[in-house]
Amino acid sequence: WHSNSKYRRVVWQCNHKFSGNEKCQTPHLDEETIKEAFIKATNKLLKDKDEIIANFEILETTAFNTDELEDRKINLQAELQVTADSIQDIINENAHKALNQEEYQRKYDSLVEKFDTAKSELETVTEQIKDRITRHKNLEIFLDELHKQEGLISEFDPLLWNSLVDYLTVFEKDKIEVSFKNGIDI
């Protein structure tokens, strides 16, 4: 606000504050308020950092394991290849022999449907694998930064913000919830 004057200040507001018929009632916040909320929430988080790190180490091997999904991905890729080969075989057979076209079309449509279903499932499994890997990496960065912190923080650090905070939810001017990347809300 007042970007061209000596009273310039950075203000944050909801993206939908002035869009549509229903205006967002969430108040705007100045940058200092957001920084203070971050510092308070981070200090509460740091008080439990040893427990948070220990819990992650216990859950890490099971929560982010992709072995089962990787096996499913390999099976789906094999199924896709077999189905694609079958489609090609039936097309070649139809091109070289006189076949009942209704029977051919039924088989062809069935194989294409099977291929599309397997392809869709493969895309879903691939996304799940990527999601687990990404969440794991983000949580490792989060915990690495958490582990580096010695004592409580007294000033805003943008690097710490980027590695710890997922998002903020503003309910009222004085009621702000900080959602950290490990799933904790303060």
Side-chain angles (χ1 to χ4, degrees), residues 165-177:
V165 176
D166 195 15
Y167 59 91
L168 263 70
T169 304
V170 179
F171 298 101
E172 298 170 9
K173 185 100 175 156
D174 297 326
K175 188 175 180 193
I176 301 170
E177 182 177 80

Side-chain angles (χ1 to χ4, degrees), residues 3 15 37 40 70 115 123 142 153 161 174 179:
S3 63
N15 289 340
K40 287 179 186 176
E70 294 286 350
F115 182 88
E123 289 169 356
F142 170 88
I153 62 171
W161 167 279
D174 297 326
S179 297

Side-chain angles (χ1 to χ4, degrees), residues 37-182:
F38 167 72
I39 291 168
K40 287 179 186 176
T42 301
N43 285 334
K44 285 182 182 179
L45 184 76
L46 288 172
K47 289 178 183 174
D48 297 329
K49 88 174 191 178
D50 293 333
E51 183 181 339
I52 291 168
I53 292 169
N55 286 342
F56 170 74
E57 289 171 353
I58 292 168
L59 294 174
E60 183 177 20
T61 55
T62 57
F64 300 107
N65 187 327
T66 60
D67 291 346
E68 189 176 309
L69 290 171
E70 294 286 350
D71 290 343
R72 182 71 183 133
K73 181 179 176 180
I74 290 168
N75 291 337
L76 286 167
Q77 288 170 330
E79 183 181 332
L80 277 175
Q81 187 59 50
V82 167
T83 306
D85 291 345
S86 296
I87 291 171
Q88 191 60 49
D89 290 345
I90 196 170
I91 290 171
N92 289 339
E93 184 181 3
N94 188 48
H96 294 93
K97 292 182 183 176
L99 298 177
N100 178 335
Q101 290 304 297
E102 289 177 7
E103 173 98 7
Y104 161 76
Q105 193 63 46
R106 189 182 53 73
K107 285 181 182 178
Y108 176 82
D109 290 344
S110 173
L111 287 170
V112 168
E113 183 179 331
K114 182 178 178 182
F115 182 88
D116 289 343
T117 301
K119 183 179 176 191
S120 175
E121 190 174 342
L122 177 63
E123 289 169 356
T124 300
V125 168
T126 302
E127 275 304 309
Q128 289 172 340
I129 291 169
K130 285 181 188 176
D131 180 58
R132 281 193 191 174
I133 291 170
T134 302
R135 286 188 299 127
H136 188 214
K137 293 291 182 200
N138 286 338
L139 199 51
E140 282 180 333
I141 292 167
F142 170 88
L143 291 167
D144 185 50
E145 285 300 318
L146 193 64
H147 193 68
K148 289 178 188 175
Q149 295 305 311
E150 307 232 350
L152 302 179
I153 62 171
S154 58
E155 61 184 50
F156 180 78
D157 178 358
L159 176 65
L160 194 60
W161 167 279
N162 286 329
S163 57
L164 296 182
V165 176
D166 195 15
Y167 59 91
L168 263 70
T169 304
V170 179
F171 298 101
E172 298 170 9
K173 185 100 175 156
D174 297 326
K175 188 175 180 193
I176 301 170
E177 182 177 80
V178 178
S179 297
F180 291 98
K181 290 183 179 178
N182 69 340

